[in-house]
Structures are given as C-alpha cells and as structure tokens.
Amino acid sequence: MRDWVLGLTVVTGTGEVLELNGDLFKNNTGYDLRGLVCGSEGTLAIITAATLKLTDPLPPAIRVVCGLADSSGIGDLLAAVRGRYPGVGLFEYFSGLCLDVVVRHTGARPPFPTRYPGYVIFEVAGDAGAPNDALIDWLGELTAAGRIVDAVVGRSIDQGRELLGLRESISATLSKYYTLHKNDIAVPVQRMGSFLSEIETFVAQAYPTAHCALFGHVADGNIHVNILKPDGVSTPEFTARAHAVDADLFALVRAARGTISAEHGVGLLKRDFLHFTRSQAEIEILRGIKRIFDPHGILNPGKIFAAEAKVTPAR
Amino acid sequence: MRDWVLGLTVVTGTGEVLELNGDLFKNNTGYDLRGLVCGSEGTLAIITAATLKLTDPLPPAIRVVCGLADSSGIGDLLAAVRGRYPGVGLFEYFSGLCLDVVVRHTGARPPFPTRYPGYVIFEVAGDAGAPNDALIDWLGELTAAGRIVDAVVGRSIDQGRELLGLRESISATLSKYYTLHKNDIAVPVQRMGSFLSEIETFVAQAYPTAHCALFGHVADGNIHVNILKPDGVSTPEFTARAHAVDADLFALVRAARGTISAEHGVGLLKRDFLHFTRSQAEIEILRGIKRIFDPHGILNPGKIFAAEAKVTPAR
C-alpha cells in the first residue's frame, strides 16, 4: 500500500502537524517519514489526510482457474505462467476447503464437476470474448504434463467475473459463517513452492480435528491461513490452542526468512511474536522512533510492542 | 528507487548489523526501516547488501518526438497523450538548448529541419515497424490544433533508439563540455503546466548572460535546471551568484509545494536549503532518527543537516 501513498498530513504525539511529502512523485530531501508512518498502526502519528497515486485502468484480462492435485508445484506453475505471459498480475491459490465453503454458503457454481485439493486463479492480458486457442492449447499441454489437473477459461466478461468471484468471496464467507483463527504470513516468493505444502502439512498435524482454509497471493509470497474452530470446542479453548500453535508456525516462517504479518499488521494479537520477524536491535530502533514521534506514549499505546514503563517522578 | 528495494543489509553507527525486510514483497510488522535508510545518504547506516525487485521486460514501444512553440502547454499535452494511450510511461521535455548541445557535440541528427524552443519525447506501446496510421493522424490533429508544431515518429527500432538518444545524451554531454550549476527540482505533477514556463522565465531573468539547459521528467513533475557558466566569468564568481539565485528559485519551488531535490539528494550543496522543503518540526524528527541510528555522529557527518555540536566533557 505504501507504494501508492504520495503524501500524508499527520499529527504527532506532541501535537505537531506534519505535511509529509505533499503530492510529490519524487522527493529526496532527508528521510522518508511518510513511508515510516504508513503501516505504523497509529503508534507514531494520527493521519488526517492522504494523497494517493491512482493507476490507469487495467487492460482487459482473461481469467483462468486450474485444478491442482496438490500445492507442491505452485512455484513452478507461477514461473511457467510468467514465462509465457510476462507481466501477469493476479495469481492466487486457494485450497479445496475454501471452494467448498464458498459453494456451500454463496450458491456459487463450482468451476469443475470434480473437487480438487487446490486451485489457482490467474489472469493474462487479452480479450476474453475473442478466440484464445493458443492459451487453451497451452493449458492442454500443462494438463498432459501433469502440472495441472484441469483448467477452465472465462470466455466472456461475465464468466471471468464469476471465476474471480470464487476467490474474492472466500474471506467474507469464512468470517460470516465460522469462528476463525487467522494468520497472514509471507515468505520470499522463491520459497513459495515448498513453503505452501510445508504449511499445509504443519497445519494438518497441529490441528488434527480442525479444518483449515488456506489461500494466498502466490506472486507476493503471501499466505492466509484460516483455522476453523471445530464444533464442540469452546472459543477460549480454541484460542489458547491456536496461540500455542502460532509459536511453532512462526518458527517455520522465521526459518523460511518470512514475516508473521504480511498485510494485517501486529496490533495486540501478534505483539508477543514480533521478535520472530524483527531482531532485538531493530525493535530497539522502532521503540526509539516511537519515542521521537510520541514521547508521552499516548498514541495507540501497547500496540506493536508493549507500552514503555512510565517513570512517575517522586513527590 | 525505494519502490524497487525489497531488502537491505545495513550496519548502523553502533556497529549493529540489521537485515531489513529480507526478500519480502509484503511485511507489515512495525516501521519500515528499509524505506527509511533508502535515500538517507549514508547518514543512518552503511548499506552492505540489497535485494532489488526486477521487472518484466517492457513491451515494445513507439517513440515520438514533438517540437513545441513553448513549454506552457506541456501539462495539457501530457494529459492528452495519457487520455489516448493509458499507461504511457516515458514523457520527457527538453529545451531547444539541450538539443543544440547534443547536436553540436555528439553529431546526432536533429529530428526536424527547424529548431524549436522546446521538445517532448514520449513512448506508446506498439510495434514501431507496423503501420501506425491512427497515431500519425492524431499527431496531425495536435499539430493542426496548435498544441504541437511538428512531430516525428520512430518507424523502426533503430529510429526509436536514435530519437531516445537525443534525450539520453543531454546530461553526459552537458557535464563533459560545460561548467554547470545544477538543480533538480520537482513539483506536484498537476502544477507542471504552469511551473515549467515559470521556471524558464525566472532563470532568464536571474541569469541574463548565462544559457540554461532545462529538461525533465514531466510525468513525475521533475525538472533538471542546468545553468551553463558563461565565458569570461570565473567559477567562484559563478558559483556565488548561483548560490544566491538558488534561494529565490527554491522560494518558487516552495510556493508550488515542490521539493528542492527530486533525485540528487541533499548532501552538502543543498544542506542550507533543506528548510525550503522540510519543516522545522520535520527536521527535528530527522535529527532524532539520526541520533538513534548513529548516536556518535560518525556516519557521513554534516550531510543533509549540520553535524551535531559535540559536547566535550570537562576534564
């Protein structure tokens, strides 16, 4: 997101109003405080105005959904699609359970008569309504080579929208119908190939009685792990279990040089795990920066890291 | 540039080695120290390794050079080109003198038989070798409407390269053959229309005996102003004059909510002018951040802002 923020107006913890970067595309005069405030979760300053950089409308796209036997070939599949369609944007994975949930609760039509363990949706530039024989032939080759099990191509704008809807409905449907424990992890893109199946294996072992709905932005190395609370387990019991398992999950993330939070932030829920992604030396610097912007500790105290101990002067 | 930096390894002024962001595309765990170090001119930490995000090769492009009667319509011309060719990337202005210099010293072929006060080069996606009647018709309409005076389209890869060479040779040719006073300013893109001609007028008045070679990245709001030292004026005399004029130039930049340095940085040359772009409250925060990374003031001291006064303990 911070790539799209040109400028911010903010108020610091001492009441200073700062105009950070105005509406400038380029500005190399000292440190980038605008970027520092982006993602600071309200702990450095309160944002009162923002200038965003808008993009040109995306060119028309053809959407393709593939059924997969498992997630282990996901990195190679991304490389293959990018090799053939440079500039490919959307490339998303979702597990079989995600599609089950969407089909069950939204009445969406499944893309294939058969249910597969995982799916990918990607987008290539082009006119969905025009003949796309080369694309279809190539998907046939991928199928014949066992890299995908089946594929469906949106042949109109409506069909493309319906296919994307399968992916886009996952998050809202899960939140509406289930009690969830959510994680939002990321690893370097080149590690996604092995990491996605590693996480699937880990989760299956750590939560033998719970279902896991897993989806992610493969091209960003980002995976959303959603554990569904099983029936018959109380929410506090489930949360305690999830908290304990998180430490093991984050150890895997750290070993893969990943992050415990790709998009969601740290807040309170991930605060005790910050050291899995940031070193102690970094955390000291973060705290120092916090003190500069907010010397009295009044801005969202206790978020990201524990509030500073207040020294009460002796009377 | 910082948009393309995924991760940095840095050493702070206390000798701490920090791995900032690894190779992650997304990471929302605390403040973005990687972005903070980018553009910090060696004052916060020494960068020992960087991971950069590479892009797919750009699609083939058609290059167009237009001759202009003056620079006042540049903002409208950019809007017209973008309206017709969404996603247009390159869109650069250069003054007549820039082309004169390139033609004189590199032997490049001028794009038109007539010399114009200013030029624009832009790029639209497409195959330069294929017929481009629609583009050529549209350029004819712009000419008939008086928005440009003439246009030439690169009809092959070689011709396109030759046209781009006119723009790309400017900086090196100026530096090789002339003593220059350089500025690198930017304003919000929407102000470029009036600002470019405002700067041209200002420079002509401020330097009545010097030539000015002006070129810029119009789509970024960024203008490079190069004053050529006149013959018969000593370099110290020229530099003193330029320094005095810079304060007036930067007042114009500030009035347009711009920056005194879009790309080059602050260093020593622009240090005394930092307050034209950053407020006093911001500069205090920058200094505070410097103290956190480099409490002993050993990293590139005196760059961006004056070094902290050292307190020598009494013996």
Side-chain angles (χ1 to χ4, degrees), chain A residues 138-179:
Chain A
W138 182 65
L139 292 167
E141 289 167 28
L142 291 180
T143 310
R147 302 178 72 171
I148 60 176
V149 186
D150 202 350
V152 56
V153 176
R155 303 299 296 264
S156 67
I157 291 177
D158 280 351
Q159 279 185 19
R161 192 178 294 134
E162 188 182 343
L163 291 177
L164 186 62
L166 299 174
R167 164 64 187 86
E168 289 194 327
S169 310
I170 296 171
S171 197
T173 308
L174 284 171
S175 296
K176 186 168 177 186
Y177 294 99
Y178 301 91
T179 299

mmCIF file of all heavy atoms in Angstrom, chain A residues 138-179:
data_model
loop_
_atom_site.group_PDB
_atom_site.id
_atom_site.type_symbol
_atom_site.label_atom_id
_atom_site.label_comp_id
_atom_site.label_asym_id
_atom_site.label_seq_id
_atom_site.Cartn_x
_atom_site.Cartn_y
_atom_site.Cartn_z
ATOM 1 N N TRP A 138 -2.136 -24.357 -24.703
ATOM 2 C CA TRP A 138 -1.053 -24.398 -23.713
ATOM 3 C C TRP A 138 -1.543 -25.002 -22.396
ATOM 4 O O TRP A 138 -0.839 -25.784 -21.749
ATOM 5 C CB TRP A 138 -0.514 -22.976 -23.504
ATOM 6 C CG TRP A 138 0.625 -22.898 -22.550
ATOM 7 C CD1 TRP A 138 1.866 -23.447 -22.703
ATOM 8 C CD2 TRP A 138 0.625 -22.247 -21.278
ATOM 9 N NE1 TRP A 138 2.641 -23.170 -21.612
ATOM 10 C CE2 TRP A 138 1.911 -22.428 -20.719
ATOM 11 C CE3 TRP A 138 -0.312 -21.515 -20.565
ATOM 12 C CZ2 TRP A 138 2.270 -21.914 -19.477
ATOM 13 C CZ3 TRP A 138 0.036 -20.996 -19.333
ATOM 14 C CH2 TRP A 138 1.316 -21.193 -18.807
ATOM 15 N N LEU A 139 -2.770 -24.679 -22.008
ATOM 16 C CA LEU A 139 -3.343 -25.276 -20.793
ATOM 17 C C LEU A 139 -3.487 -26.791 -20.976
ATOM 18 O O LEU A 139 -3.277 -27.565 -20.026
ATOM 19 C CB LEU A 139 -4.697 -24.634 -20.472
ATOM 20 C CG LEU A 139 -4.620 -23.162 -20.025
ATOM 21 C CD1 LEU A 139 -6.012 -22.521 -20.031
ATOM 22 C CD2 LEU A 139 -3.994 -23.047 -18.632
ATOM 23 N N GLY A 140 -3.794 -27.216 -22.214
ATOM 24 C CA GLY A 140 -3.854 -28.658 -22.517
ATOM 25 C C GLY A 140 -2.492 -29.312 -22.314
ATOM 26 O O GLY A 140 -2.401 -30.426 -21.767
ATOM 27 N N GLU A 141 -1.446 -28.599 -22.725
ATOM 28 C CA GLU A 141 -0.090 -29.139 -22.532
ATOM 29 C C GLU A 141 0.244 -29.260 -21.048
ATOM 30 O O GLU A 141 0.841 -30.258 -20.617
ATOM 31 C CB GLU A 141 0.956 -28.243 -23.206
ATOM 32 C CG GLU A 141 0.930 -28.295 -24.726
ATOM 33 C CD GLU A 141 1.754 -27.156 -25.343
ATOM 34 O OE1 GLU A 141 2.717 -26.698 -24.692
ATOM 35 O OE2 GLU A 141 1.402 -26.725 -26.455
ATOM 36 N N LEU A 142 -0.133 -28.231 -20.267
ATOM 37 C CA LEU A 142 0.119 -28.293 -18.824
ATOM 38 C C LEU A 142 -0.618 -29.473 -18.196
ATOM 39 O O LEU A 142 -0.092 -30.152 -17.313
ATOM 40 C CB LEU A 142 -0.331 -26.989 -18.137
ATOM 41 C CG LEU A 142 0.465 -25.709 -18.414
ATOM 42 C CD1 LEU A 142 -0.146 -24.536 -17.644
ATOM 43 C CD2 LEU A 142 1.929 -25.877 -18.006
ATOM 44 N N THR A 143 -1.829 -29.715 -18.667
ATOM 45 C CA THR A 143 -2.626 -30.833 -18.145
ATOM 46 C C THR A 143 -1.976 -32.163 -18.525
ATOM 47 O O THR A 143 -1.812 -33.058 -17.679
ATOM 48 C CB THR A 143 -4.064 -30.759 -18.691
ATOM 49 O OG1 THR A 143 -4.573 -29.443 -18.482
ATOM 50 C CG2 THR A 143 -4.974 -31.766 -17.990
ATOM 51 N N ALA A 144 -1.587 -32.270 -19.790
ATOM 52 C CA ALA A 144 -0.960 -33.510 -20.262
ATOM 53 C C ALA A 144 0.328 -33.790 -19.497
ATOM 54 O O ALA A 144 0.668 -34.946 -19.223
ATOM 55 C CB ALA A 144 -0.681 -33.407 -21.770
ATOM 56 N N ALA A 145 1.036 -32.712 -19.122
ATOM 57 C CA ALA A 145 2.304 -32.875 -18.400
ATOM 58 C C ALA A 145 2.079 -33.089 -16.898
ATOM 59 O O ALA A 145 3.045 -33.242 -16.144
ATOM 60 C CB ALA A 145 3.188 -31.651 -18.618
ATOM 61 N N GLY A 146 0.816 -33.085 -16.469
ATOM 62 C CA GLY A 146 0.515 -33.336 -15.055
ATOM 63 C C GLY A 146 0.797 -32.154 -14.146
ATOM 64 O O GLY A 146 0.806 -32.301 -12.925
ATOM 65 N N ARG A 147 1.002 -30.971 -14.720
ATOM 66 C CA ARG A 147 1.297 -29.803 -13.869
ATOM 67 C C ARG A 147 0.020 -29.188 -13.318
ATOM 68 O O ARG A 147 0.044 -28.521 -12.293
ATOM 69 C CB ARG A 147 2.108 -28.784 -14.663
ATOM 70 C CG ARG A 147 3.405 -29.419 -15.167
ATOM 71 C CD ARG A 147 4.209 -28.483 -16.000
ATOM 72 N NE ARG A 147 4.815 -27.455 -15.164
ATOM 73 C CZ ARG A 147 5.721 -26.592 -15.610
ATOM 74 N NH1 ARG A 147 6.115 -26.646 -16.877
ATOM 75 N NH2 ARG A 147 6.232 -25.698 -14.816
ATOM 76 N N ILE A 148 -1.078 -29.390 -14.035
ATOM 77 C CA ILE A 148 -2.411 -29.060 -13.512
ATOM 78 C C ILE A 148 -3.307 -30.251 -13.844
ATOM 79 O O ILE A 148 -2.933 -31.099 -14.670
ATOM 80 C CB ILE A 148 -2.986 -27.758 -14.139
ATOM 81 C CG1 ILE A 148 -3.111 -27.896 -15.668
ATOM 82 C CG2 ILE A 148 -2.088 -26.556 -13.801
ATOM 83 C CD1 ILE A 148 -3.765 -26.701 -16.351
ATOM 84 N N VAL A 149 -4.458 -30.332 -13.186
ATOM 85 C CA VAL A 149 -5.342 -31.465 -13.469
ATOM 86 C C VAL A 149 -6.429 -31.062 -14.460
ATOM 87 O O VAL A 149 -6.869 -31.859 -15.283
ATOM 88 C CB VAL A 149 -5.973 -32.011 -12.167
ATOM 89 C CG1 VAL A 149 -6.774 -33.274 -12.441
ATOM 90 C CG2 VAL A 149 -4.904 -32.279 -11.123
ATOM 91 N N ASP A 150 -6.851 -29.819 -14.374
ATOM 92 C CA ASP A 150 -7.892 -29.356 -15.281
ATOM 93 C C ASP A 150 -7.826 -27.827 -15.307
ATOM 94 O O ASP A 150 -7.196 -27.218 -14.435
ATOM 95 C CB ASP A 150 -9.277 -29.828 -14.802
ATOM 96 C CG ASP A 150 -10.299 -29.856 -15.941
ATOM 97 O OD1 ASP A 150 -9.990 -29.330 -17.038
ATOM 98 O OD2 ASP A 150 -11.394 -30.397 -15.724
ATOM 99 N N ALA A 151 -8.457 -27.229 -16.307
ATOM 100 C CA ALA A 151 -8.454 -25.766 -16.386
ATOM 101 C C ALA A 151 -9.748 -25.300 -17.026
ATOM 102 O O ALA A 151 -10.335 -25.999 -17.852
ATOM 103 C CB ALA A 151 -7.268 -25.268 -17.207
ATOM 104 N N VAL A 152 -10.200 -24.121 -16.614
ATOM 105 C CA VAL A 152 -11.361 -23.509 -17.246
ATOM 106 C C VAL A 152 -11.006 -22.046 -17.535
ATOM 107 O O VAL A 152 -10.361 -21.382 -16.723
ATOM 108 C CB VAL A 152 -12.632 -23.644 -16.364
ATOM 109 C CG1 VAL A 152 -12.422 -23.055 -14.984
ATOM 110 C CG2 VAL A 152 -13.836 -22.991 -17.034
ATOM 111 N N VAL A 153 -11.382 -21.592 -18.715
ATOM 112 C CA VAL A 153 -11.062 -20.233 -19.150
ATOM 113 C C VAL A 153 -12.357 -19.433 -19.225
ATOM 114 O O VAL A 153 -13.336 -19.905 -19.819
ATOM 115 C CB VAL A 153 -10.377 -20.259 -20.541
ATOM 116 C CG1 VAL A 153 -10.126 -18.842 -21.049
ATOM 117 C CG2 VAL A 153 -9.089 -21.057 -20.495
ATOM 118 N N GLY A 154 -12.372 -18.262 -18.619
ATOM 119 C CA GLY A 154 -13.531 -17.378 -18.749
ATOM 120 C C GLY A 154 -13.628 -16.875 -20.180
ATOM 121 O O GLY A 154 -12.707 -16.229 -20.659
ATOM 122 N N ARG A 155 -14.734 -17.191 -20.857
ATOM 123 C CA ARG A 155 -14.858 -16.849 -22.276
ATOM 124 C C ARG A 155 -15.658 -15.575 -22.497
ATOM 125 O O ARG A 155 -16.020 -15.241 -23.611
ATOM 126 C CB ARG A 155 -15.493 -18.014 -23.052
ATOM 127 C CG ARG A 155 -14.733 -19.321 -22.920
ATOM 128 C CD ARG A 155 -13.307 -19.197 -23.454
ATOM 129 N NE ARG A 155 -13.277 -18.932 -24.873
ATOM 130 C CZ ARG A 155 -13.124 -19.853 -25.810
ATOM 131 N NH1 ARG A 155 -12.939 -21.116 -25.472
ATOM 132 N NH2 ARG A 155 -13.103 -19.537 -27.089
ATOM 133 N N SER A 156 -15.982 -14.881 -21.428
ATOM 134 C CA SER A 156 -16.693 -13.596 -21.539
ATOM 135 C C SER A 156 -16.374 -12.806 -20.281
ATOM 136 O O SER A 156 -15.827 -13.359 -19.310
ATOM 137 C CB SER A 156 -18.208 -13.816 -21.650
ATOM 138 O OG SER A 156 -18.688 -14.358 -20.429
ATOM 139 N N ILE A 157 -16.726 -11.530 -20.278
ATOM 140 C CA ILE A 157 -16.501 -10.726 -19.077
ATOM 141 C C ILE A 157 -17.278 -11.304 -17.897
ATOM 142 O O ILE A 157 -16.772 -11.401 -16.780
ATOM 143 C CB ILE A 157 -16.879 -9.254 -19.364
ATOM 144 C CG1 ILE A 157 -15.847 -8.663 -20.339
ATOM 145 C CG2 ILE A 157 -16.934 -8.434 -18.078
ATOM 146 C CD1 ILE A 157 -16.134 -7.244 -20.764
ATOM 147 N N ASP A 158 -18.504 -11.755 -18.156
ATOM 148 C CA ASP A 158 -19.314 -12.323 -17.075
ATOM 149 C C ASP A 158 -18.698 -13.602 -16.511
ATOM 150 O O ASP A 158 -18.664 -13.796 -15.295
ATOM 151 C CB ASP A 158 -20.738 -12.619 -17.580
ATOM 152 C CG ASP A 158 -21.587 -11.350 -17.602
ATOM 153 O OD1 ASP A 158 -21.124 -10.322 -17.065
ATOM 154 O OD2 ASP A 158 -22.693 -11.399 -18.172
ATOM 155 N N GLN A 159 -18.242 -14.469 -17.417
ATOM 156 C CA GLN A 159 -17.614 -15.712 -16.932
ATOM 157 C C GLN A 159 -16.354 -15.411 -16.130
ATOM 158 O O GLN A 159 -16.074 -16.049 -15.120
ATOM 159 C CB GLN A 159 -17.271 -16.629 -18.109
ATOM 160 C CG GLN A 159 -18.450 -17.435 -18.623
ATOM 161 C CD GLN A 159 -18.024 -18.433 -19.711
ATOM 162 O OE1 GLN A 159 -16.861 -18.777 -19.841
ATOM 163 N NE2 GLN A 159 -19.002 -18.887 -20.497
ATOM 164 N N GLY A 160 -15.584 -14.425 -16.593
ATOM 165 C CA GLY A 160 -14.368 -14.042 -15.873
ATOM 166 C C GLY A 160 -14.699 -13.518 -14.487
ATOM 167 O O GLY A 160 -14.019 -13.825 -13.499
ATOM 168 N N ARG A 161 -15.776 -12.736 -14.411
ATOM 169 C CA ARG A 161 -16.197 -12.191 -13.120
ATOM 170 C C ARG A 161 -16.641 -13.318 -12.186
ATOM 171 O O ARG A 161 -16.338 -13.308 -10.995
ATOM 172 C CB ARG A 161 -17.335 -11.186 -13.364
ATOM 173 C CG ARG A 161 -17.682 -10.335 -12.177
ATOM 174 C CD ARG A 161 -18.772 -9.330 -12.510
ATOM 175 N NE ARG A 161 -18.322 -8.328 -13.478
ATOM 176 C CZ ARG A 161 -19.017 -7.922 -14.550
ATOM 177 N NH1 ARG A 161 -20.199 -8.436 -14.808
ATOM 178 N NH2 ARG A 161 -18.533 -6.994 -15.350
ATOM 179 N N GLU A 162 -17.346 -14.293 -12.743
ATOM 180 C CA GLU A 162 -17.828 -15.425 -11.933
ATOM 181 C C GLU A 162 -16.640 -16.219 -11.371
ATOM 182 O O GLU A 162 -16.638 -16.603 -10.197
ATOM 183 C CB GLU A 162 -18.713 -16.316 -12.812
ATOM 184 C CG GLU A 162 -19.417 -17.412 -12.043
ATOM 185 C CD GLU A 162 -20.264 -18.309 -12.949
ATOM 186 O OE1 GLU A 162 -20.559 -17.913 -14.103
ATOM 187 O OE2 GLU A 162 -20.622 -19.419 -12.494
ATOM 188 N N LEU A 163 -15.623 -16.430 -12.210
ATOM 189 C CA LEU A 163 -14.436 -17.171 -11.747
ATOM 190 C C LEU A 163 -13.714 -16.394 -10.646
ATOM 191 O O LEU A 163 -13.349 -16.962 -9.612
ATOM 192 C CB LEU A 163 -13.479 -17.439 -12.916
ATOM 193 C CG LEU A 163 -13.968 -18.436 -13.982
ATOM 194 C CD1 LEU A 163 -12.957 -18.549 -15.113
ATOM 195 C CD2 LEU A 163 -14.228 -19.815 -13.356
ATOM 196 N N LEU A 164 -13.533 -15.096 -10.847
ATOM 197 C CA LEU A 164 -12.832 -14.310 -9.826
ATOM 198 C C LEU A 164 -13.637 -14.271 -8.535
ATOM 199 O O LEU A 164 -13.083 -14.250 -7.435
ATOM 200 C CB LEU A 164 -12.561 -12.889 -10.335
ATOM 201 C CG LEU A 164 -11.708 -12.030 -9.397
ATOM 202 C CD1 LEU A 164 -10.319 -12.631 -9.212
ATOM 203 C CD2 LEU A 164 -11.592 -10.602 -9.922
ATOM 204 N N GLY A 165 -14.964 -14.293 -8.683
ATOM 205 C CA GLY A 165 -15.839 -14.274 -7.506
ATOM 206 C C GLY A 165 -15.573 -15.442 -6.564
ATOM 207 O O GLY A 165 -15.711 -15.317 -5.344
ATOM 208 N N LEU A 166 -15.196 -16.593 -7.130
ATOM 209 C CA LEU A 166 -14.894 -17.754 -6.285
ATOM 210 C C LEU A 166 -13.785 -17.413 -5.297
ATOM 211 O O LEU A 166 -13.854 -17.741 -4.121
ATOM 212 C CB LEU A 166 -14.454 -18.942 -7.164
ATOM 213 C CG LEU A 166 -15.472 -19.452 -8.178
ATOM 214 C CD1 LEU A 166 -14.849 -20.517 -9.068
ATOM 215 C CD2 LEU A 166 -16.722 -19.991 -7.466
ATOM 216 N N ARG A 167 -12.762 -16.728 -5.782
ATOM 217 C CA ARG A 167 -11.634 -16.353 -4.931
ATOM 218 C C ARG A 167 -11.998 -15.181 -4.008
ATOM 219 O O ARG A 167 -11.658 -15.186 -2.827
ATOM 220 C CB ARG A 167 -10.440 -15.994 -5.831
ATOM 221 C CG ARG A 167 -9.312 -15.241 -5.172
ATOM 222 C CD ARG A 167 -8.620 -16.057 -4.089
ATOM 223 N NE ARG A 167 -7.650 -15.222 -3.371
ATOM 224 C CZ ARG A 167 -7.959 -14.455 -2.342
ATOM 225 N NH1 ARG A 167 -9.198 -14.421 -1.875
ATOM 226 N NH2 ARG A 167 -7.036 -13.718 -1.759
ATOM 227 N N GLU A 168 -12.694 -14.213 -4.584
ATOM 228 C CA GLU A 168 -12.956 -12.991 -3.816
ATOM 229 C C GLU A 168 -13.962 -13.195 -2.693
ATOM 230 O O GLU A 168 -13.993 -12.411 -1.751
ATOM 231 C CB GLU A 168 -13.429 -11.871 -4.761
ATOM 232 C CG GLU A 168 -12.297 -11.354 -5.637
ATOM 233 C CD GLU A 168 -12.636 -10.046 -6.333
ATOM 234 O OE1 GLU A 168 -13.825 -9.867 -6.672
ATOM 235 O OE2 GLU A 168 -11.712 -9.229 -6.537
ATOM 236 N N SER A 169 -14.789 -14.241 -2.783
ATOM 237 C CA SER A 169 -15.803 -14.460 -1.745
ATOM 238 C C SER A 169 -15.249 -15.184 -0.531
ATOM 239 O O SER A 169 -15.942 -15.288 0.490
ATOM 240 C CB SER A 169 -16.949 -15.320 -2.302
ATOM 241 O OG SER A 169 -17.406 -14.806 -3.518
ATOM 242 N N ILE A 170 -14.034 -15.701 -0.622
ATOM 243 C CA ILE A 170 -13.544 -16.608 0.432
ATOM 244 C C ILE A 170 -13.523 -15.914 1.788
ATOM 245 O O ILE A 170 -14.098 -16.403 2.774
ATOM 246 C CB ILE A 170 -12.139 -17.139 0.076
ATOM 247 C CG1 ILE A 170 -12.191 -18.007 -1.195
ATOM 248 C CG2 ILE A 170 -11.549 -17.938 1.247
ATOM 249 C CD1 ILE A 170 -10.820 -18.391 -1.743
ATOM 250 N N SER A 171 -12.875 -14.765 1.844
ATOM 251 C CA SER A 171 -12.625 -14.136 3.133
ATOM 252 C C SER A 171 -13.934 -13.750 3.834
ATOM 253 O O SER A 171 -14.133 -14.067 5.013
ATOM 254 C CB SER A 171 -11.730 -12.909 2.917
ATOM 255 O OG SER A 171 -11.163 -12.514 4.112
ATOM 256 N N ALA A 172 -14.829 -13.104 3.094
ATOM 257 C CA ALA A 172 -16.091 -12.665 3.702
ATOM 258 C C ALA A 172 -16.943 -13.861 4.114
ATOM 259 O O ALA A 172 -17.597 -13.842 5.178
ATOM 260 C CB ALA A 172 -16.854 -11.775 2.721
ATOM 261 N N THR A 173 -16.948 -14.914 3.311
ATOM 262 C CA THR A 173 -17.772 -16.090 3.630
ATOM 263 C C THR A 173 -17.247 -16.791 4.882
ATOM 264 O O THR A 173 -18.011 -17.185 5.768
ATOM 265 C CB THR A 173 -17.784 -17.061 2.429
ATOM 266 O OG1 THR A 173 -18.144 -16.341 1.250
ATOM 267 C CG2 THR A 173 -18.777 -18.188 2.652
ATOM 268 N N LEU A 174 -15.934 -16.929 4.957
ATOM 269 C CA LEU A 174 -15.342 -17.551 6.147
ATOM 270 C C LEU A 174 -15.707 -16.758 7.395
ATOM 271 O O LEU A 174 -16.134 -17.320 8.411
ATOM 272 C CB LEU A 174 -13.813 -17.602 6.012
ATOM 273 C CG LEU A 174 -13.222 -18.670 5.091
ATOM 274 C CD1 LEU A 174 -11.716 -18.426 4.924
ATOM 275 C CD2 LEU A 174 -13.479 -20.073 5.640
ATOM 276 N N SER A 175 -15.551 -15.441 7.332
ATOM 277 C CA SER A 175 -15.797 -14.605 8.509
ATOM 278 C C SER A 175 -17.257 -14.637 8.919
ATOM 279 O O SER A 175 -17.585 -14.526 10.105
ATOM 280 C CB SER A 175 -15.384 -13.158 8.225
ATOM 281 O OG SER A 175 -13.997 -13.097 7.998
ATOM 282 N N LYS A 176 -18.135 -14.775 7.934
ATOM 283 C CA LYS A 176 -19.565 -14.736 8.241
ATOM 284 C C LYS A 176 -20.046 -16.026 8.907
ATOM 285 O O LYS A 176 -20.885 -15.977 9.799
ATOM 286 C CB LYS A 176 -20.334 -14.481 6.939
ATOM 287 C CG LYS A 176 -21.827 -14.277 7.114
ATOM 288 C CD LYS A 176 -22.473 -13.750 5.844
ATOM 289 C CE LYS A 176 -23.980 -13.632 6.017
ATOM 290 N NZ LYS A 176 -24.629 -13.263 4.746
ATOM 291 N N TYR A 177 -19.517 -17.165 8.491
ATOM 292 C CA TYR A 177 -20.108 -18.443 8.915
ATOM 293 C C TYR A 177 -19.261 -19.232 9.913
ATOM 294 O O TYR A 177 -19.717 -20.244 10.419
ATOM 295 C CB TYR A 177 -20.399 -19.315 7.690
ATOM 296 C CG TYR A 177 -21.476 -18.723 6.801
ATOM 297 C CD1 TYR A 177 -21.162 -18.015 5.654
ATOM 298 C CD2 TYR A 177 -22.828 -18.868 7.156
ATOM 299 C CE1 TYR A 177 -22.149 -17.463 4.854
ATOM 300 C CE2 TYR A 177 -23.825 -18.320 6.360
ATOM 301 C CZ TYR A 177 -23.484 -17.615 5.214
ATOM 302 O OH TYR A 177 -24.461 -17.073 4.447
ATOM 303 N N TYR A 178 -18.030 -18.780 10.181
ATOM 304 C CA TYR A 178 -17.162 -19.601 11.035
ATOM 305 C C TYR A 178 -16.445 -18.747 12.076
ATOM 306 O O TYR A 178 -16.227 -17.558 11.875
ATOM 307 C CB TYR A 178 -16.109 -20.340 10.176
ATOM 308 C CG TYR A 178 -16.750 -21.243 9.148
ATOM 309 C CD1 TYR A 178 -17.033 -20.761 7.857
ATOM 310 C CD2 TYR A 178 -17.098 -22.549 9.468
ATOM 311 C CE1 TYR A 178 -17.648 -21.571 6.914
ATOM 312 C CE2 TYR A 178 -17.721 -23.369 8.530
ATOM 313 C CZ TYR A 178 -17.998 -22.874 7.255
ATOM 314 O OH TYR A 178 -18.606 -23.671 6.331
ATOM 315 N N THR A 179 -16.076 -19.386 13.190
ATOM 316 C CA THR A 179 -15.148 -18.784 14.138
ATOM 317 C C THR A 179 -13.753 -19.181 13.690
ATOM 318 O O THR A 179 -13.462 -20.368 13.524
ATOM 319 C CB THR A 179 -15.415 -19.314 15.561
ATOM 320 O OG1 THR A 179 -16.749 -18.943 15.924
ATOM 321 C CG2 THR A 179 -14.424 -18.725 16.556
#
